[in-house]
Amino acid sequence: MSGNVRRGAAPHTGSTAFINARIVDPTADAEYTGAILISDGKIADFGPNLFASGAPYGIESVDCRGLHLAPGIVDARVHTGEPGEEHKETLESAGIAAAVGGITSLVLLPDNEPPFDDASLIEFVARRARQVKLANMYAYGALTVGLEGQHLAEMGLLAEAGAVAFTDADHAVGNAQVMRRALYYAKAFDALIVHLPQEPSLSGGNMTSGVMATRLGLSGVPPLAEVMMVERDIRLAEMTGGRVHLTKISTAESVKAIASAKARGLKITCDTAPPYFALNDLAVGDYRTFGKLVPPLRAEGDREAVVEGLKTGVIDAIVSDHRPQDQDSKRVPFASAEPGGVGLETLLPISLELVHNKHLTLPQLFQRLSAAPAQLFNLPGGKLAKGAPADLVLFDSDYAWQVDRDDLWSKTKNSPFDERPVQGLVMATIVGGRTIYRHDNFTPAAAAA
Amino acid sequence: MLGIEGLSPETISGLLDLSESYIPQNQSIDKRRDLLTGRTVINLFFENSTRTRTSFEVAAKRLGADVINMDVATSSVKKGETLLDTAMTLNAMRPDAIVVRHSESGAVNLLSQKVNCTVINAGDGQHEHPTQALLDALTIRRRRGTLEGLLVAICGDIMHSRVARSNIHLLQIMGARVRVVGPPTLMPTDIDKMGVEVHYNMRTGLKDVDIVMMLRLQTERMQGSFVPSISEYFRFFGLDSEKLKVAKPNALIMHPGPMNRGVEIDSEVADDLDRSVIHEQVEMGVAVRMACLDALIGGRRNAMGAAA
């Protein structure tokens, strides 16, 4: 992709008007042609009638030429290699990839080396994010010490240092007593616990159980490894009154279990990631290690159920689940390969398939991508509101292109969507009023009136 | 040659015919031809296997090729070299064929993407072991004349067996019917979707079968994780003359070796000269591997078409 990432742009001052845009407002569930006025990095005004009679006089205006303008994406599940594995991804390279992907806020997973089970790590991330000056970067605190699922991490101190939620990343907490105490304890700080529901004793395999795994001779992870844990967590949440958010939902049974928990009025929320609504276990064919993920890619019926869950709103949010892996981690036999895929730059185009295939409207999609995660993690962006930060994404929803791993800005290229034809491309990303990324095809003519 | 899956019946028949043509040579006094003179074959075994490696070595030498056995246990692989680096290093020495065995499924496919010589899969993890299936087919064909219409029971640890998978593919491609028999804990998920009949009981599983293929049960899987004990396994899933009674009277007994006598097979049936073809399987193994080397690097590549 060709475009310009502008690192370290100065804070936005004065006023800028984005006119002639197709505005996507997830909170109001509306899409219309109109304008957004930003002042000193915040949204000052927006609506269909704003500047309807022409470009404003005396302030900078950007003609969006009918492209879509939506609240920037809030990606609640990003892993980088910093600190610990900077050769895979740094906060800066992840920030660049996020900018290119239209992501204006991201929440960093705590499973680095060292893991974020100490307040100093949360402060480190915040300091580095200020230096990098791209997307807003937040961090999870570890739920348990060393992500080992045994002893509670210092949730209060981590929260004070800025941790926005707590999780053991891709490690499920197998011990129900530990999870129960974590949910109870978190209530003291009204903290959100994010859990990957996978029964550990059933999750040792390399791909989803089924005829494909049997043919390839790979050990399987049964889909019920997920729903068992979903059901346990639902019971624990009910018992403790704690807030649990289940992440990377990938099976039909899990969607069903969460739907019924929500119907009973429990405080359960959940998300999924593009691989689980756009791919199935066939993507692993011929031992493609880029398709090795946690949880594993599931059967087609599960994929369809995840799409349905997004449609009905049972699944609240979409995350990229960005996990860079270098060649040494992926160019090995399947069982030895590290799981995970990069996802920052493909999050929007793959998610737009849900709109092109008429499963969601654009406002509904941005509810899942921006508004819901911002609300869940109590972050300032993700919505159009007067006084909200001017975090916006400008995109061409129809732009056709093909994912090519060599063109990705991420430091590593392990995309499960490599070579996939997609529709939709980010033209500009605006964080706090600063345009941090602009695609070459979008050059705002007559920027200043 | 990475696997049986996807081969056509014509390719398989062609390979079996070619194998058959090597049997007289192997039985004569002068066993050496110079078809592969000047060709280099590397046996790259990441997993110990005396019989398969020896069989490939004998096959290549009888065709006049130079054979190098890579002893991986003492090589740079142990020093941390990756599979692909090993592959590229060997590739740079310009071998004509590399015969690979590896403990991980798909490792041979991966290696084959990085070299430009012929790669023959000598067994990868729990995926495929194509020359074993071919030698089993040759053994059966010589005894029964055809594979078509035969009823074959594959018994034992289906889950961890690449031999089972390659045989299921080959037998079905050639028109045989396949049953898999064993304890449910050793059945892979959805194995029935591969077109086989599943039995958890030797009495129903062996009923009226033409061929009984026993599989080896690894010791580490008998100690409570998959089956409770050796004696219980042998009692219910080991092949003995009693269980064999329900099979056809002339049913052949096969085993890919090495056998665990008293675990999956009773000595009485293993050594039954009328029905056990276990040693014949080993003999056919050499012929089949000669045929594969011939077809793949013997300059007849065009004639064999898709065999590569």
Side-chain angles (χ1 to χ4, degrees), chain A residues 79-124:
Chain A
H79 175 87
T80 80
E82 186 174 349
E85 291 188 306
E86 287 82 355
H87 61 288
K88 291 185 179 176
E89 192 92 285
T90 61
L91 291 173
E92 179 161 21
S93 66
I96 292 169
V100 173
I103 295 160
T104 53
S105 292
L106 49 85
V107 188
L108 296 159
L109 286 168
D111 56 334
N112 281 58
E113 189 51 55
F116 300 174
D117 57 4
D118 187 282
S120 64
L121 273 305
I122 307 293
E123 284 156 7
F124 166 82

mmCIF file of all heavy atoms in Angstrom, chain A residues 79-124:
data_model
loop_
_atom_site.group_PDB
_atom_site.id
_atom_site.type_symbol
_atom_site.label_atom_id
_atom_site.label_comp_id
_atom_site.label_asym_id
_atom_site.label_seq_id
_atom_site.Cartn_x
_atom_site.Cartn_y
_atom_site.Cartn_z
ATOM 1 N N HIS A 79 -1.109 -7.525 20.220
ATOM 2 C CA HIS A 79 0.144 -7.936 20.845
ATOM 3 C C HIS A 79 1.284 -7.342 20.008
ATOM 4 O O HIS A 79 1.262 -7.390 18.788
ATOM 5 C CB HIS A 79 0.254 -9.461 20.857
ATOM 6 C CG HIS A 79 1.572 -9.957 21.366
ATOM 7 N ND1 HIS A 79 1.816 -10.168 22.703
ATOM 8 C CD2 HIS A 79 2.722 -10.251 20.722
ATOM 9 C CE1 HIS A 79 3.059 -10.586 22.859
ATOM 10 N NE2 HIS A 79 3.636 -10.646 21.679
ATOM 11 N N THR A 80 2.279 -6.760 20.685
ATOM 12 C CA THR A 80 3.476 -6.345 19.958
ATOM 13 C C THR A 80 4.659 -7.032 20.641
ATOM 14 O O THR A 80 4.493 -7.653 21.681
ATOM 15 C CB THR A 80 3.702 -4.816 19.996
ATOM 16 O OG1 THR A 80 4.287 -4.487 21.253
ATOM 17 C CG2 THR A 80 2.428 -4.052 19.778
ATOM 18 N N GLY A 81 5.823 -6.912 20.048
ATOM 19 C CA GLY A 81 6.995 -7.539 20.647
ATOM 20 C C GLY A 81 7.718 -6.634 21.628
ATOM 21 O O GLY A 81 8.786 -6.985 22.104
ATOM 22 N N GLU A 82 7.148 -5.461 21.905
ATOM 23 C CA GLU A 82 7.854 -4.523 22.782
ATOM 24 C C GLU A 82 7.160 -4.414 24.127
ATOM 25 O O GLU A 82 5.974 -4.076 24.166
ATOM 26 C CB GLU A 82 7.935 -3.133 22.117
ATOM 27 C CG GLU A 82 8.773 -2.155 22.910
ATOM 28 C CD GLU A 82 8.976 -0.819 22.181
ATOM 29 O OE1 GLU A 82 8.653 -0.730 20.990
ATOM 30 O OE2 GLU A 82 9.442 0.112 22.843
ATOM 31 N N PRO A 83 7.841 -4.715 25.213
ATOM 32 C CA PRO A 83 9.243 -5.143 25.278
ATOM 33 C C PRO A 83 9.387 -6.662 25.104
ATOM 34 O O PRO A 83 8.432 -7.384 25.282
ATOM 35 C CB PRO A 83 9.635 -4.758 26.710
ATOM 36 C CG PRO A 83 8.370 -4.889 27.493
ATOM 37 C CD PRO A 83 7.258 -4.497 26.543
ATOM 38 N N GLY A 84 10.590 -7.082 24.739
ATOM 39 C CA GLY A 84 10.933 -8.500 24.751
ATOM 40 C C GLY A 84 11.262 -9.092 23.403
ATOM 41 O O GLY A 84 12.262 -9.782 23.256
ATOM 42 N N GLU A 85 10.414 -8.832 22.408
ATOM 43 C CA GLU A 85 10.660 -9.415 21.091
ATOM 44 C C GLU A 85 10.541 -8.333 20.020
ATOM 45 O O GLU A 85 9.705 -8.427 19.106
ATOM 46 C CB GLU A 85 9.666 -10.545 20.805
ATOM 47 C CG GLU A 85 9.877 -11.764 21.667
ATOM 48 C CD GLU A 85 9.005 -12.924 21.221
ATOM 49 O OE1 GLU A 85 7.777 -12.744 21.115
ATOM 50 O OE2 GLU A 85 9.555 -14.008 20.957
ATOM 51 N N GLU A 86 11.390 -7.326 20.142
ATOM 52 C CA GLU A 86 11.270 -6.177 19.249
ATOM 53 C C GLU A 86 11.527 -6.523 17.784
ATOM 54 O O GLU A 86 11.152 -5.769 16.892
ATOM 55 C CB GLU A 86 12.215 -5.051 19.697
ATOM 56 C CG GLU A 86 11.769 -4.310 20.954
ATOM 57 C CD GLU A 86 12.141 -5.016 22.249
ATOM 58 O OE1 GLU A 86 12.671 -6.135 22.193
ATOM 59 O OE2 GLU A 86 11.892 -4.427 23.320
ATOM 60 N N HIS A 87 12.166 -7.698 17.539
ATOM 61 C CA HIS A 87 12.387 -8.075 16.143
ATOM 62 C C HIS A 87 11.079 -8.468 15.472
ATOM 63 O O HIS A 87 10.983 -8.491 14.251
ATOM 64 C CB HIS A 87 13.398 -9.227 16.050
ATOM 65 C CG HIS A 87 12.958 -10.472 16.753
ATOM 66 N ND1 HIS A 87 12.920 -10.573 18.121
ATOM 67 C CD2 HIS A 87 12.521 -11.657 16.263
ATOM 68 C CE1 HIS A 87 12.488 -11.789 18.457
ATOM 69 N NE2 HIS A 87 12.239 -12.459 17.356
ATOM 70 N N LYS A 88 10.050 -8.781 16.272
ATOM 71 C CA LYS A 88 8.761 -9.128 15.674
ATOM 72 C C LYS A 88 7.901 -7.881 15.440
ATOM 73 O O LYS A 88 7.265 -7.755 14.399
ATOM 74 C CB LYS A 88 8.008 -10.110 16.560
ATOM 75 C CG LYS A 88 8.655 -11.493 16.606
ATOM 76 C CD LYS A 88 7.812 -12.479 17.404
ATOM 77 C CE LYS A 88 8.480 -13.854 17.410
ATOM 78 N NZ LYS A 88 7.742 -14.807 18.257
ATOM 79 N N GLU A 89 7.837 -7.008 16.413
ATOM 80 C CA GLU A 89 7.048 -5.773 16.273
ATOM 81 C C GLU A 89 7.415 -4.860 17.424
ATOM 82 O O GLU A 89 7.581 -5.312 18.550
ATOM 83 C CB GLU A 89 5.556 -6.109 16.338
ATOM 84 C CG GLU A 89 4.631 -4.981 15.922
ATOM 85 C CD GLU A 89 4.270 -5.009 14.438
ATOM 86 O OE1 GLU A 89 5.141 -4.644 13.610
ATOM 87 O OE2 GLU A 89 3.138 -5.406 14.111
ATOM 88 N N THR A 90 7.529 -3.575 17.104
ATOM 89 C CA THR A 90 7.731 -2.592 18.159
ATOM 90 C C THR A 90 6.441 -1.810 18.318
ATOM 91 O O THR A 90 5.528 -1.910 17.487
ATOM 92 C CB THR A 90 8.860 -1.615 17.795
ATOM 93 O OG1 THR A 90 8.473 -0.940 16.591
ATOM 94 C CG2 THR A 90 10.179 -2.349 17.584
ATOM 95 N N LEU A 91 6.363 -1.020 19.354
ATOM 96 C CA LEU A 91 5.178 -0.180 19.514
ATOM 97 C C LEU A 91 5.092 0.800 18.348
ATOM 98 O O LEU A 91 4.006 1.130 17.890
ATOM 99 C CB LEU A 91 5.234 0.556 20.854
ATOM 100 C CG LEU A 91 5.068 -0.358 22.074
ATOM 101 C CD1 LEU A 91 5.305 0.409 23.366
ATOM 102 C CD2 LEU A 91 3.675 -0.984 22.088
ATOM 103 N N GLU A 92 6.238 1.212 17.829
ATOM 104 C CA GLU A 92 6.220 2.131 16.699
ATOM 105 C C GLU A 92 5.727 1.425 15.434
ATOM 106 O O GLU A 92 4.852 1.933 14.729
ATOM 107 C CB GLU A 92 7.608 2.724 16.461
ATOM 108 C CG GLU A 92 7.605 3.663 15.259
ATOM 109 C CD GLU A 92 8.787 4.608 15.229
ATOM 110 O OE1 GLU A 92 9.799 4.314 15.885
ATOM 111 O OE2 GLU A 92 8.670 5.637 14.538
ATOM 112 N N SER A 93 6.256 0.218 15.134
ATOM 113 C CA SER A 93 5.814 -0.449 13.907
ATOM 114 C C SER A 93 4.345 -0.861 14.016
ATOM 115 O O SER A 93 3.599 -0.806 13.033
ATOM 116 C CB SER A 93 6.712 -1.648 13.578
ATOM 117 O OG SER A 93 6.604 -2.676 14.533
ATOM 118 N N ALA A 94 3.914 -1.244 15.222
ATOM 119 C CA ALA A 94 2.492 -1.561 15.405
ATOM 120 C C ALA A 94 1.656 -0.297 15.242
ATOM 121 O O ALA A 94 0.570 -0.330 14.663
ATOM 122 C CB ALA A 94 2.248 -2.179 16.779
ATOM 123 N N GLY A 95 2.183 0.839 15.734
ATOM 124 C CA GLY A 95 1.474 2.101 15.598
ATOM 125 C C GLY A 95 1.302 2.495 14.142
ATOM 126 O O GLY A 95 0.249 2.994 13.727
ATOM 127 N N ILE A 96 2.336 2.239 13.352
ATOM 128 C CA ILE A 96 2.265 2.547 11.921
ATOM 129 C C ILE A 96 1.219 1.653 11.246
ATOM 130 O O ILE A 96 0.358 2.122 10.496
ATOM 131 C CB ILE A 96 3.655 2.368 11.269
ATOM 132 C CG1 ILE A 96 4.614 3.449 11.799
ATOM 133 C CG2 ILE A 96 3.560 2.427 9.751
ATOM 134 C CD1 ILE A 96 6.071 3.214 11.446
ATOM 135 N N ALA A 97 1.296 0.341 11.534
ATOM 136 C CA ALA A 97 0.330 -0.581 10.930
ATOM 137 C C ALA A 97 -1.093 -0.215 11.344
ATOM 138 O O ALA A 97 -2.026 -0.286 10.545
ATOM 139 C CB ALA A 97 0.657 -2.019 11.335
ATOM 140 N N ALA A 98 -1.250 0.193 12.608
ATOM 141 C CA ALA A 98 -2.576 0.593 13.086
ATOM 142 C C ALA A 98 -3.063 1.829 12.334
ATOM 143 O O ALA A 98 -4.224 1.907 11.916
ATOM 144 C CB ALA A 98 -2.532 0.864 14.589
ATOM 145 N N ALA A 99 -2.161 2.793 12.130
ATOM 146 C CA ALA A 99 -2.533 4.016 11.413
ATOM 147 C C ALA A 99 -3.013 3.670 10.005
ATOM 148 O O ALA A 99 -4.038 4.168 9.534
ATOM 149 C CB ALA A 99 -1.343 4.972 11.353
ATOM 150 N N VAL A 100 -2.285 2.777 9.340
ATOM 151 C CA VAL A 100 -2.646 2.369 7.982
ATOM 152 C C VAL A 100 -3.977 1.610 7.999
ATOM 153 O O VAL A 100 -4.723 1.621 7.029
ATOM 154 C CB VAL A 100 -1.510 1.506 7.372
ATOM 155 C CG1 VAL A 100 -1.912 0.933 6.035
ATOM 156 C CG2 VAL A 100 -0.238 2.338 7.247
ATOM 157 N N GLY A 101 -4.264 0.956 9.130
ATOM 158 C CA GLY A 101 -5.495 0.187 9.235
ATOM 159 C C GLY A 101 -6.684 0.966 9.767
ATOM 160 O O GLY A 101 -7.751 0.397 9.949
ATOM 161 N N GLY A 102 -6.513 2.254 10.019
ATOM 162 C CA GLY A 102 -7.641 3.066 10.491
ATOM 163 C C GLY A 102 -7.931 2.920 11.966
ATOM 164 O O GLY A 102 -9.012 3.255 12.444
ATOM 165 N N ILE A 103 -6.953 2.399 12.709
ATOM 166 C CA ILE A 103 -7.131 2.167 14.144
ATOM 167 C C ILE A 103 -6.582 3.367 14.907
ATOM 168 O O ILE A 103 -5.422 3.734 14.751
ATOM 169 C CB ILE A 103 -6.415 0.866 14.561
ATOM 170 C CG1 ILE A 103 -7.098 -0.328 13.876
ATOM 171 C CG2 ILE A 103 -6.411 0.703 16.078
ATOM 172 C CD1 ILE A 103 -6.264 -1.572 13.807
ATOM 173 N N THR A 104 -7.437 3.971 15.732
ATOM 174 C CA THR A 104 -7.021 5.183 16.427
ATOM 175 C C THR A 104 -6.740 4.944 17.906
ATOM 176 O O THR A 104 -6.114 5.758 18.556
ATOM 177 C CB THR A 104 -8.083 6.280 16.262
ATOM 178 O OG1 THR A 104 -9.343 5.748 16.657
ATOM 179 C CG2 THR A 104 -8.171 6.742 14.823
ATOM 180 N N SER A 105 -7.264 3.818 18.427
ATOM 181 C CA SER A 105 -6.927 3.435 19.807
ATOM 182 C C SER A 105 -6.691 1.943 19.822
ATOM 183 O O SER A 105 -7.407 1.190 19.155
ATOM 184 C CB SER A 105 -8.075 3.728 20.781
ATOM 185 O OG SER A 105 -8.253 5.119 20.912
ATOM 186 N N LEU A 106 -5.679 1.514 20.581
ATOM 187 C CA LEU A 106 -5.490 0.081 20.707
ATOM 188 C C LEU A 106 -5.119 -0.269 22.135
ATOM 189 O O LEU A 106 -4.556 0.534 22.875
ATOM 190 C CB LEU A 106 -4.467 -0.435 19.687
ATOM 191 C CG LEU A 106 -3.126 0.263 19.542
ATOM 192 C CD1 LEU A 106 -2.158 -0.276 20.565
ATOM 193 C CD2 LEU A 106 -2.595 0.002 18.131
ATOM 194 N N VAL A 107 -5.507 -1.487 22.503
ATOM 195 C CA VAL A 107 -5.216 -1.977 23.846
ATOM 196 C C VAL A 107 -4.233 -3.129 23.706
ATOM 197 O O VAL A 107 -4.484 -4.104 22.989
ATOM 198 C CB VAL A 107 -6.497 -2.441 24.572
ATOM 199 C CG1 VAL A 107 -6.175 -2.760 26.035
ATOM 200 C CG2 VAL A 107 -7.588 -1.384 24.490
ATOM 201 N N LEU A 108 -3.091 -2.971 24.395
ATOM 202 C CA LEU A 108 -2.005 -3.941 24.247
ATOM 203 C C LEU A 108 -2.137 -5.084 25.243
ATOM 204 O O LEU A 108 -2.355 -4.867 26.438
ATOM 205 C CB LEU A 108 -0.670 -3.229 24.470
ATOM 206 C CG LEU A 108 -0.384 -2.155 23.424
ATOM 207 C CD1 LEU A 108 0.633 -1.157 23.939
ATOM 208 C CD2 LEU A 108 0.097 -2.790 22.122
ATOM 209 N N LEU A 109 -1.976 -6.292 24.707
ATOM 210 C CA LEU A 109 -2.019 -7.481 25.558
ATOM 211 C C LEU A 109 -0.808 -7.499 26.487
ATOM 212 O O LEU A 109 0.246 -6.946 26.160
ATOM 213 C CB LEU A 109 -2.038 -8.738 24.690
ATOM 214 C CG LEU A 109 -3.369 -9.014 23.984
ATOM 215 C CD1 LEU A 109 -3.199 -10.094 22.927
ATOM 216 C CD2 LEU A 109 -4.436 -9.415 24.988
ATOM 217 N N PRO A 110 -0.940 -8.175 27.630
ATOM 218 C CA PRO A 110 0.140 -8.142 28.626
ATOM 219 C C PRO A 110 1.147 -9.284 28.496
ATOM 220 O O PRO A 110 2.026 -9.404 29.345
ATOM 221 C CB PRO A 110 -0.626 -8.285 29.938
ATOM 222 C CG PRO A 110 -1.776 -9.172 29.580
ATOM 223 C CD PRO A 110 -2.129 -8.853 28.139
ATOM 224 N N ASP A 111 1.041 -10.119 27.462
ATOM 225 C CA ASP A 111 1.903 -11.312 27.429
ATOM 226 C C ASP A 111 3.225 -11.035 26.721
ATOM 227 O O ASP A 111 3.604 -11.720 25.775
ATOM 228 C CB ASP A 111 1.180 -12.511 26.808
ATOM 229 C CG ASP A 111 0.650 -12.243 25.421
ATOM 230 O OD1 ASP A 111 0.385 -11.077 25.092
ATOM 231 O OD2 ASP A 111 0.496 -13.206 24.652
ATOM 232 N N ASN A 112 3.919 -10.026 27.212
ATOM 233 C CA ASN A 112 5.253 -9.737 26.691
ATOM 234 C C ASN A 112 6.296 -10.356 27.604
ATOM 235 O O ASN A 112 5.986 -11.039 28.564
ATOM 236 C CB ASN A 112 5.461 -8.219 26.593
ATOM 237 C CG ASN A 112 4.789 -7.646 25.366
ATOM 238 O OD1 ASN A 112 3.592 -7.795 25.202
ATOM 239 N ND2 ASN A 112 5.556 -7.019 24.499
ATOM 240 N N GLU A 113 7.526 -10.111 27.278
ATOM 241 C CA GLU A 113 8.624 -10.551 28.136
ATOM 242 C C GLU A 113 9.338 -9.306 28.643
ATOM 243 O O GLU A 113 10.048 -8.661 27.873
ATOM 244 C CB GLU A 113 9.574 -11.440 27.336
ATOM 245 C CG GLU A 113 10.624 -12.120 28.167
ATOM 246 C CD GLU A 113 10.049 -12.859 29.363
ATOM 247 O OE1 GLU A 113 9.166 -13.715 29.189
ATOM 248 O OE2 GLU A 113 10.474 -12.535 30.477
ATOM 249 N N PRO A 114 9.164 -8.868 29.873
ATOM 250 C CA PRO A 114 8.340 -9.479 30.915
ATOM 251 C C PRO A 114 6.846 -9.210 30.725
ATOM 252 O O PRO A 114 6.480 -8.223 30.075
ATOM 253 C CB PRO A 114 8.840 -8.763 32.179
ATOM 254 C CG PRO A 114 9.273 -7.417 31.693
ATOM 255 C CD PRO A 114 9.820 -7.628 30.325
ATOM 256 N N PRO A 115 6.004 -10.028 31.327
ATOM 257 C CA PRO A 115 4.557 -9.786 31.254
ATOM 258 C C PRO A 115 4.161 -8.560 32.069
ATOM 259 O O PRO A 115 4.870 -8.176 32.998
ATOM 260 C CB PRO A 115 3.944 -11.060 31.844
ATOM 261 C CG PRO A 115 5.020 -11.707 32.634
ATOM 262 C CD PRO A 115 6.330 -11.272 32.040
ATOM 263 N N PHE A 116 3.046 -7.955 31.700
ATOM 264 C CA PHE A 116 2.610 -6.713 32.355
ATOM 265 C C PHE A 116 1.919 -7.027 33.686
ATOM 266 O O PHE A 116 0.756 -6.718 33.879
ATOM 267 C CB PHE A 116 1.638 -5.932 31.467
ATOM 268 C CG PHE A 116 2.192 -5.502 30.125
ATOM 269 C CD1 PHE A 116 1.351 -4.901 29.183
ATOM 270 C CD2 PHE A 116 3.526 -5.690 29.786
ATOM 271 C CE1 PHE A 116 1.844 -4.499 27.942
ATOM 272 C CE2 PHE A 116 4.017 -5.289 28.548
ATOM 273 C CZ PHE A 116 3.171 -4.699 27.626
ATOM 274 N N ASP A 117 2.660 -7.629 34.613
ATOM 275 C CA ASP A 117 2.059 -7.893 35.920
ATOM 276 C C ASP A 117 2.633 -6.950 36.967
ATOM 277 O O ASP A 117 2.490 -7.142 38.162
ATOM 278 C CB ASP A 117 2.238 -9.362 36.333
ATOM 279 C CG ASP A 117 3.699 -9.796 36.367
ATOM 280 O OD1 ASP A 117 4.585 -8.934 36.151
ATOM 281 O OD2 ASP A 117 3.963 -10.986 36.590
ATOM 282 N N ASP A 118 3.283 -5.901 36.470
ATOM 283 C CA ASP A 118 3.877 -4.917 37.361
ATOM 284 C C ASP A 118 3.562 -3.531 36.804
ATOM 285 O O ASP A 118 3.639 -3.312 35.595
ATOM 286 C CB ASP A 118 5.397 -5.136 37.400
ATOM 287 C CG ASP A 118 6.058 -4.266 38.441
ATOM 288 O OD1 ASP A 118 6.250 -3.055 38.177
ATOM 289 O OD2 ASP A 118 6.361 -4.793 39.515
ATOM 290 N N ALA A 119 3.224 -2.615 37.707
ATOM 291 C CA ALA A 119 2.785 -1.283 37.268
ATOM 292 C C ALA A 119 3.817 -0.584 36.387
ATOM 293 O O ALA A 119 3.462 0.180 35.483
ATOM 294 C CB ALA A 119 2.468 -0.427 38.487
ATOM 295 N N SER A 120 5.096 -0.878 36.589
ATOM 296 C CA SER A 120 6.118 -0.179 35.802
ATOM 297 C C SER A 120 5.987 -0.483 34.310
ATOM 298 O O SER A 120 6.300 0.357 33.469
ATOM 299 C CB SER A 120 7.516 -0.586 36.291
ATOM 300 O OG SER A 120 7.711 -1.968 36.062
ATOM 301 N N LEU A 121 5.482 -1.661 33.979
ATOM 302 C CA LEU A 121 5.313 -2.013 32.562
ATOM 303 C C LEU A 121 4.200 -1.190 31.915
ATOM 304 O O LEU A 121 4.298 -0.776 30.758
ATOM 305 C CB LEU A 121 4.992 -3.510 32.418
ATOM 306 C CG LEU A 121 6.130 -4.533 32.327
ATOM 307 C CD1 LEU A 121 7.085 -4.202 31.209
ATOM 308 C CD2 LEU A 121 6.874 -4.667 33.627
ATOM 309 N N ILE A 122 3.133 -0.956 32.680
ATOM 310 C CA ILE A 122 2.019 -0.154 32.170
ATOM 311 C C ILE A 122 2.517 1.270 31.918
ATOM 312 O O ILE A 122 2.188 1.904 30.904
ATOM 313 C CB ILE A 122 0.845 -0.142 33.183
ATOM 314 C CG1 ILE A 122 0.449 -1.566 33.582
ATOM 315 C CG2 ILE A 122 -0.341 0.633 32.640
ATOM 316 C CD1 ILE A 122 -0.149 -2.412 32.513
ATOM 317 N N GLU A 123 3.344 1.762 32.836
ATOM 318 C CA GLU A 123 3.895 3.111 32.677
ATOM 319 C C GLU A 123 4.864 3.176 31.497
ATOM 320 O O GLU A 123 4.907 4.160 30.761
ATOM 321 C CB GLU A 123 4.596 3.548 33.983
ATOM 322 C CG GLU A 123 3.577 3.944 35.040
ATOM 323 C CD GLU A 123 4.107 3.828 36.465
ATOM 324 O OE1 GLU A 123 5.316 3.570 36.639
ATOM 325 O OE2 GLU A 123 3.287 3.991 37.392
ATOM 326 N N PHE A 124 5.609 2.101 31.299
ATOM 327 C CA PHE A 124 6.533 2.028 30.163
ATOM 328 C C PHE A 124 5.765 2.167 28.847
ATOM 329 O O PHE A 124 6.141 2.951 27.964
ATOM 330 C CB PHE A 124 7.299 0.691 30.198
ATOM 331 C CG PHE A 124 8.022 0.357 28.922
ATOM 332 C CD1 PHE A 124 9.276 0.894 28.646
ATOM 333 C CD2 PHE A 124 7.451 -0.497 27.980
ATOM 334 C CE1 PHE A 124 9.940 0.586 27.463
ATOM 335 C CE2 PHE A 124 8.113 -0.809 26.795
ATOM 336 C CZ PHE A 124 9.355 -0.265 26.550
#
